Amino acid sequence: MVLGFTLLLLFPMGLALYMSLTDWPLLGDHHFIGLNNYREIMVDKMFWRVLGNTVYFTAGLVPLNIVLALLLALLLSKSLRGIGVFRTAIFVPVMTSLIVWAIVWKLMYATESGLINQLLLMIGIKGPAWLYNQDLAMPAVIVTSVLKNVGLNMVLFIAAIQQVPRSLYEAAKLDGAGRQKIFFHVTLPMITPTVFLTVVMTVIGSLKVFGQIYVMTQGGPSNSTKVLVYYIWEKAFKLFQFGYASALAYVLFFIVMILTLLQWQLRKRWVFNESDA
């Protein structure tokens, strides 16, 4: 385990850190330039554009994913006959290849022959060019991403809801609480540790989005869907600026780390802890 951790994680991270301090082209010698790559990032207008796109993607995906997953969990947490079929149907996209999923949705979003626009045409609405419109491309990718991964959070929420003690529900009903009050005062507080876990994982995953962008939009139209990981890939494997790409990767690493630590500190304000009960 130590050998694998060293070879597959520590060594690549150390090499990437060193590369971020160099001018490292594909061909020719590399040379040490210190923090110049990081200084260039701070004045790189495209970096700020893709960072804004990444924040937009995260801000759209995380609440939509969490809310939809929680609603589905509430509907499917009952022990009813045949309920497993619906749970499986929603979870299947999680196990589906991301590339295959993105290709299918790209075809569905097609302007003339796509399923979505064909359905809209049946009710007299001419559908837009979803993936070629600067205002619609990112929302389209967000919807695709939510439907791909919502099943994972749903399963976690179902497990958490089923662990809530029945005695709490019985006590709430004896006090005359309705479904809405039971949810907000019993169910939701008791599953906040799982909510915290899903939020952290979903935020980290959204900041690392790449596959669906690569397949569906290639960062377009007009860079409206170009996100940070796609920009890193572009710098490294299209422009062969490995030093600059490594610096961008470390910037992303620190952004993820800061956001995760911030969420960890804020958890004390809203996450239920049995020791505090």
Side-chain angles (χ1 to χ4, degrees):
M1 290 179 63
V2 173
L3 181 62
F5 181 76
T6 302
L7 292 178
L8 301 178
L9 185 63
L10 289 184
F11 176 73
M13 288 183 64
L15 179 59
L17 179 60
Y18 173 70
M19 291 177 67
S20 73
L21 303 175
T22 65
D23 178 12
W24 194 303
L26 176 64
L27 301 175
D29 297 330
H30 64 274
H31 56 277
F32 186 81
I33 58 174
L35 297 176
N36 284 358
N37 283 327
Y38 293 95
R39 296 191 188 98
E40 187 176 344
I41 288 174
M42 293 300 101
V43 296
D44 184 354
K45 293 182 179 179
M46 183 55 67
F47 166 75
W48 294 107
R49 174 73 184 275
V50 299
L51 182 61
N53 291 340
T54 306
V55 172
Y56 176 21
F57 181 86
T58 299
L61 180 135
V62 174
L64 188 58
N65 185 302
I66 298 299
V67 171
L68 182 58
L70 185 54
L71 290 174
L72 290 170
L74 290 171
L75 291 172
L76 302 178
S77 60
K78 311 296 182 182
S79 298
L80 301 176
R81 190 172 184 177
I83 202 73
V85 175
F86 295 97
R87 294 176 185 172
T88 302
I90 296 172
F91 189 76
V92 163
V94 177
M95 300 181 292
T96 304
S97 166
L98 175 60
I99 301 303
V100 172
W101 183 263
I103 291 174
V104 170
W105 275 90
K106 182 177 181 179
L107 295 174
M108 291 174 64
Y109 280 126
T111 306
E112 300 297 334
S113 59
L115 175 63
I116 296 175
N117 281 355
Q118 288 294 319
L119 292 175
L120 290 174
L121 195 61
M122 291 173 63
I123 58 175
I125 300 176
K126 181 175 175 57
W130 297 96
L131 300 179
Y132 300 95
N133 186 305
Q134 294 186 43
D135 297 324
L136 297 176
M138 185 64 86
V141 176
I142 290 173
V143 169
T144 301
S145 303
V146 168
L147 296 178
K148 171 72 172 68
N149 295 310
V150 71
L152 178 59
N153 287 343
M154 178 200 71
V155 169
L156 295 174
F157 284 139
I158 289 176
I161 290 171
Q162 292 178 340
Q163 293 299 315
V164 178
R166 299 297 99 184
S167 58
L168 295 179
Y169 292 123
E170 293 170 1
K173 290 178 181 178
L174 288 175
D175 289 337
R179 289 185 178 180
Q180 186 174 352
K181 286 189 176 181
I182 289 176
F183 171 73
F184 284 106
H185 295 284
V186 178
T187 305
L188 190 57
M190 292 299 294
I191 67 171
T192 48
T194 303
V195 174
F196 171 72
L197 172 66
T198 56
V199 168
V200 171
M201 292 195 309
T202 307
V203 168
I204 293 175
S206 66
L207 292 172
K208 299 189 298 180
V209 60
F210 172 75
Q212 48 270 61
I213 299 293
Y214 178 81
V215 172
M216 297 177 68
T217 66
Q218 294 281 307
S222 301
N223 298 318
S224 61
T225 61
K226 183 179 289 187
V227 291
L228 191 49
V229 175
Y230 187 89
Y231 190 48
I232 294 170
W233 171 83
E234 188 177 64
K235 285 292 186 180
F237 300 106
K238 291 185 72 175
L239 301 177
F240 304 117
Q241 298 175 8
F242 293 108
Y244 193 76
S246 297
L248 287 169
Y250 261 90
V251 169
L252 175 60
F253 168 76
F254 285 116
I255 291 173
V256 171
M257 183 177 67
I258 290 170
L259 287 177
T260 303
L261 292 175
L262 180 62
Q263 291 176 86
W264 181 258
Q265 291 299 318
L266 293 176
R267 86 193 191 284
K268 300 175 183 178
R269 298 185 180 183
W270 61 277
V271 175
F272 173 76
N273 190 335
E274 291 185 2
S275 63
D276 298 332

